[in-house]
Amino acid sequence: MEILYNSTRAKGKAVTASEAILKGLSEEGGLFVPERIPVLDKTLKEFSQMTYQQTAYEVMKLYFTDFSRQELEECISKAYDEKFDTQEIVPIKEAAGAFYLELFHGATIAFKDMALSVLPHLLIASAKKNQVKNEIVILAATSGDTGKAALAGFSDVEGTRIIVFYPKSGVSPIQEKQMVTQKGKNTYVVGIHGNFDDAQRGVKEIFGDRELAEYMQGKGFQFSSANSINIGRLVPQIVYYVYAYGRLLKEGRIQEGEKINVTVPTGNFGNILAAFYAKEMGLPIGKLICASNENKVLFDFFRSGTYDRNREFVLTSSPSMDILVSSNLERLIYRIGGNDPDQNLAFMSALGQGGSYQVTGDMMEKLGDFYGNYASQEETAETIRKVYEDTGYVLDPHTAVAACVYEKYKRETGDHKATVIASTASPYKFTRSVMDAIGGQYPGMDDFGLADELSGLSHTAVPKAVEEIRTAPVLHKRICGKDAMKQTVMDILGI
């Protein structure tokens, strides 16, 4: 059965999957959501025998119903190929009483590679399907990982340009070096004087500028998004959890039908929302454990029902989670509010104008699947150190936030179900934070020297993604104010 997509903020004509992927955002700024959540049509035992690519097809076909089997399989095979450093694509490592789902074996050593490897192919297929002649301009705001993964995915893809904005002082040195050394004649990287929320707000404002959209149309351009607000980014993330369950079942770690818990280090809410969708599709998931760093807006929301971004923005060792406006939460709010776009629009307008909103009591009751908590900077470092000393396994700071929160959850609830922790980045992406946490004195050593030290400690090879940028020249030097993003886009496009 065909699944169409509605906006979270307006009643109107539903669009096909390919149209939703192309648009990124609806005209009034809403996010596209499926009109219903499909049910998995393969057994758990069947999933246990599938490769990652096969699992991806079986999940994505249920959502992207206007794509042919050939189109989807082609997108998937181009995405999940030899650029991943393991044939499994997503290995699972058991350590410290949990199963770590390693989502960082792609070209940029972070989980964003997983969905951003397939999005360019979905987008190009969608453009052909809808007879789009314009050049597609991908706009993205990044807190560190999306940017590089999107740049790598779209580099030299015909018919596209990609412009990535990032907070100049809000990413790790290796994250920044990965972006500013990106090759590709269609790639543009811009540091802004501001934080991630400023970058994300600026991108959303550009998308919502109808006058600009009409002007762009006249010049042969149209915008689309590579952020997790694009449904073409979100759906591929559901695959992680279906695949993880299948692997655990195949290896005899769980019994068929047994519930597992899922713990996700969370910033923009896309990764944990994908786990929620997987549960709604019939995957046996118990609790969805939402882990925050000191920017604990989601922890406070799950405890109180009030989402309030009016607080100090904290720069932490887990920068991809330094976010106060979790865009994908809007999709969950829409669903627990009974798919009511008017109510949802009121909440989002309140967030935009006053910085907060309060959900209803009925909606709070529907959040029972979720548990929220957070880890301080000290707790994050202590978790990295303890897991390393106890097991030899090295966590990056984002995954350490999740591991710390999972321990808090177990102590609080006594629930010891088999638990998958989304391991969202390689420790090599955050060498200084990791090495400081493990302990040792490295005065004056740069992040690449620290990578060599980490390699010795962890008995793992320095990833190709780090080696490649060690001596790569800086190709992108643009910087702008947070209020100059629209003008910067126009300057880049020469319009």
Side-chain angles (χ1 to χ4, degrees), residues 163 165 190-194 198-199 202-203 205-206 478-492:
I163 304 170
F165 291 95
V190 185
I192 71 159
H193 297 302
D198 296 321
V203 166
E205 285 172 1
I206 293 169
R478 276 189 179 87
I479 300 172
C480 77
K482 62 185 180 184
D483 297 322
M485 291 170 60
K486 175 180 169 181
Q487 187 57 54
T488 301
V489 169
M490 296 178 76
D491 290 346
I492 286 171

Side-chain angles (χ1 to χ4, degrees), residues 225-271:
S225 167
N227 277 71
S228 58
I229 52 178
N230 193 313
I231 197 70
R233 268 281 304 279
L234 182 64
V235 168
Q237 292 178 276
I238 300 169
V239 180
Y240 309 162
Y241 305 104
V242 179
Y243 180 73
Y245 194 98
R247 293 299 296 178
L248 293 179
L249 182 57
K250 182 177 185 177
E251 293 168 9
R253 311 284 191 168
I254 57 173
Q255 300 300 308
E256 188 171 3
E258 180 183 341
K259 284 189 175 181
I260 63 170
N261 291 332
V262 171
T263 306
V264 184
T266 309
N268 222 6
F269 208 75
N271 220 351

Side-chain angles (χ1 to χ4, degrees), residues 408-427:
K408 290 183 179 183
Y409 171 77
K410 284 192 293 184
R411 287 197 299 271
E412 212 173 286
T413 65
D415 181 1
H416 289 267
K417 287 186 187 71
T419 294
V420 169
I421 294 179
S423 185
T424 54
S426 165

